[in-house]
C-alpha cells in the first residue's frame, strides 16, 4: 500500500476512535445520571414510602448499571488501544506528525461533564449518609445496609473470581499465541523450501535480494522460491514475509509447499 493511503486510512481510524470516544462519554454520563436517580430513589424516605419500591428492583437497576459501565470501560480500552496504535504508526511516518496533532484536537468537554457528575455524586453521597442517620426509620436503615452489603459482596466475589481465573486465562492465551507462532514458522519453512549457501550455487549470479536490495555474500543463506528460479532471496529476509503470506513478493504467484 502507498504510504499516503496508509496515513489517510490511519487518520480515518483516528477520527472514528474520536467519535466512539465521544459517544462513550455520553453513555457514561447517562449511566451516571441513572445512578444518581437510583441513589435519590433509595435515599428519600417519602419517595420510598409512596412508591413502595422493591429492593429487588433497585438491586436489579444497580447490577444493570454495573454491567453497562463495565461494557463502556471495555469498549473504551479497545478504542484506546486502536487509537494509540494508529498514533504510533502516524508518528513513524515522520512528516505526518502534524496530522496527528490536528486530529487530536480537543474533545474533553464531555469528560469534564463526567467529572462534574462525579463531584455531584460525592456531595449526594454525604447527604444520603446524613439523611440516613437523621430521617430514616430503623428498618429502612437495616434494609439499606443489607442491600449495600449484598452489592459489596457481589463485587468482592466477582473480583475474587477474576483473581482466580485470570492466571489460567492468561496462560491459555499465551499458549495459543505460541502455538500460532510456531505454526506460522513451520508453514513459512515449508513454503520457502530448503536454504543453501550462496557460494554453493556454482558462481551463478542473481539480482540483489528483492527485499533488502543488498547483493549476496558467499556466506549468505539464500532460498529460491518455487515460482521462478530467478526469484531468490536471503533466507532471513523472506521468512518473515512467508509467515504471513503464501505468495511470492515479486510475482505474486502462490508458493507450493516444498
Ligand atoms: Zn535480503
Ligand atoms: Zn516469484
Amino acid at each position: 500500500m502507498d504510504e499516503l493511503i496508509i496515513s489517510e486510512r490511519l487518520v480515518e481510524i483516528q477520527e472514528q476512535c474520536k467519535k466512539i470516544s465521544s459517544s462513550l462519554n455520553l453513555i457514561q454520563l447517562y449511566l451516571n445520571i441513572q445512578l444518581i436517580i437510583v441513589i435519590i430513589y433509595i435515599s428519600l424516605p417519602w419517595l420510598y414510602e409512596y412508591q413502595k419500591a422493591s429492593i429487588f428492583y433497585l438491586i436489579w437497576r444497580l447490577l444493570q448499571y454495573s454491567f453497562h459501565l463495565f461494557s463502556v470501560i471495555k469498549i473504551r480500552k479497545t478504542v484506546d488501544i486502536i487509537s494509540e496504535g494508529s498514533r504510533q504508526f502516524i508518528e513513524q511516518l515522520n512528516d505526518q506528525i502534524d496530522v496527528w496533532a490536528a486530529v487530536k484536537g480537543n474533545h474533553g468537554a464531555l469528560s469534564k461533564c463526567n467529572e462534574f457528575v462525579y463531584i455531584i455524586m460525592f456531595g449526594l453521597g454525604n447527604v444520603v449518609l446524613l439523611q440516613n442517620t437523621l430521617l430514616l426509620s430503623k428498618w429502612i436503615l437495616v434494609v439499606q445496609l443489607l442491600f449495600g452489603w449484598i452489592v459489596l459482596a457481589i463485587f468482592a466475589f466477582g473480583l475474587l473470581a477474576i483473581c482466580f481465573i485470570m492466571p489460567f486465562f492468561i496462560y491459555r492465551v499465551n499458549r495459543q499465541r505460541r502455538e500460532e507462532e510456531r505454526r506460522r514458522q513451520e508453514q513459512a519453512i515449508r513454503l520457502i523450501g530448503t536454504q543453501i549457501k550462496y557460494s554453493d550455487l556454482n558462481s551463478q549470479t542473481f539480482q540483489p535480494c528483492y527485499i533488502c536490495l543488498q547483493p549476496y555474500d558467499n556466506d549468505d543463506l539464500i532460498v529460491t522460491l518455487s515460482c521462478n528460479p530467478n526469484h531468490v532471496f536471503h533466507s532471513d529476509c523472506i521468512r518473515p514475509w512467508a509467515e504471513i503470506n503464501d505468495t511470492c513478493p515479486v510475482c505474486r504467484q502462490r508458493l507450493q509447499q516444498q
Side-chain angles (χ1 to χ4, degrees):
M1 251 205 294
D2 190 33
E3 212 170 73
L4 199 72
I5 298 175
I6 295 175
S7 61
E8 271 171 14
R9 181 80 193 98
L10 286 171
V11 170
E12 244 171 62
I13 293 172
Q14 290 283 343
E15 289 284 5
Q16 279 163 4
C17 286
K18 203 178 101 183
K19 275 182 200 148
I20 297 170
S21 224
S22 302
S23 316
L24 288 177
N25 275 334
L26 263 179
I27 295 170
Q28 206 170 347
L29 187 67
Y30 164 72
L31 288 174
N32 288 338
I33 291 169
Q34 221 184 20
L35 184 66
I36 289 178
I37 291 171
V38 172
I39 290 175
I40 292 173
Y41 205 59
I42 55 175
S43 57
L44 293 184
W46 63 270
L47 205 62
Y48 196 83
E49 289 291 336
Y50 272 83
Q51 310 252 342
K52 299 227 182 307
S54 147
I55 204 77
F56 295 108
Y57 170 71
L58 293 174
I59 292 176
W60 164 243
R61 285 300 292 271
L62 219 68
L63 281 177
Q64 221 180 11
Y65 168 81
S66 324
F67 175 73
H68 287 151
L69 196 68
F70 179 69
S71 312
V72 168
I73 290 169
K74 240 183 107 171
I75 299 169
R76 195 189 290 281
K77 275 232 173 77
T78 315
V79 171
D80 281 350
I81 289 168
I82 296 170
S83 176
E84 174 64 16
S86 50
R87 186 186 67 79
Q88 281 174 0
F89 261 112
I90 290 180
E91 275 185 356
Q92 273 168 15
L93 309 169
N94 287 327
D95 51 337
Q96 299 293 333
I97 293 175
D98 284 341
V99 177
W100 161 242
V103 167
K104 221 163 76 176
N106 57 339
H107 54 103
L110 274 167
S111 302
K112 288 275 181 308
C113 208
N114 265 325
E115 278 165 28
F116 182 64
V117 169
Y118 283 127
I119 293 171
I120 295 179
M121 275 167 68
F122 178 73
L124 209 67
N126 287 329
V127 173
V128 168
L129 214 69
L130 272 173
Q131 264 186 348
N132 274 349
T133 46
L134 294 177
L135 297 174
L136 292 181
S137 65
K138 259 183 194 160
W139 71 268
I140 291 180
L141 251 176
V142 169
V143 169
Q144 286 198 346
L145 267 176
L146 259 175
F147 167 69
W149 278 110
I150 289 170
V151 172
L152 258 180
I154 290 170
F155 274 112
F157 273 115
L159 273 176
L160 217 65
I162 289 171
C163 286
F164 274 110
I165 293 166
M166 220 44 188
F168 293 103
F169 182 71
I170 290 171
Y171 171 75
R172 235 189 67 174
V173 168
N174 278 343
R175 201 183 55 187
Q176 272 176 354
R177 199 179 298 156
R178 275 200 305 274
E179 270 170 18
E180 171 77 2
E181 207 167 292
R182 212 193 53 216
R183 200 187 57 73
R184 277 183 176 176
Q185 284 166 356
E186 284 171 359
Q187 167 98 346
I189 287 168
R190 277 200 300 273
L191 284 178
I192 63 178
T194 44
Q195 48 184 21
I196 42 176
K197 257 195 181 179
Y198 185 65
S199 54
D200 293 346
L201 278 176
N202 302 328
S203 66
Q204 251 182 296
T205 44
F206 290 103
Q207 290 247 118
C209 169
Y210 285 102
I211 293 175
C212 66
L213 303 178
Q214 300 297 312
Y216 298 107
D217 279 336
N218 278 336
D219 288 337
D220 287 349
L221 287 171
I222 63 161
V223 291
T224 310
L225 296 187
S226 56
C227 50
N228 186 321
N230 288 320
H231 289 171
V232 173
F233 304 85
H234 285 117
S235 175
D236 288 342
C237 293
I238 190 69
R239 208 179 303 124
W241 165 273
E243 281 175 19
I244 46 175
N245 298 283
D246 62 350
T247 55
C248 167
V250 178
C251 65
R252 294 277 165 183
Q253 263 192 60
R254 275 241 161 154
L255 297 175
Q256 305 298 323
Q257 300 212 347
Q258 297 180 31

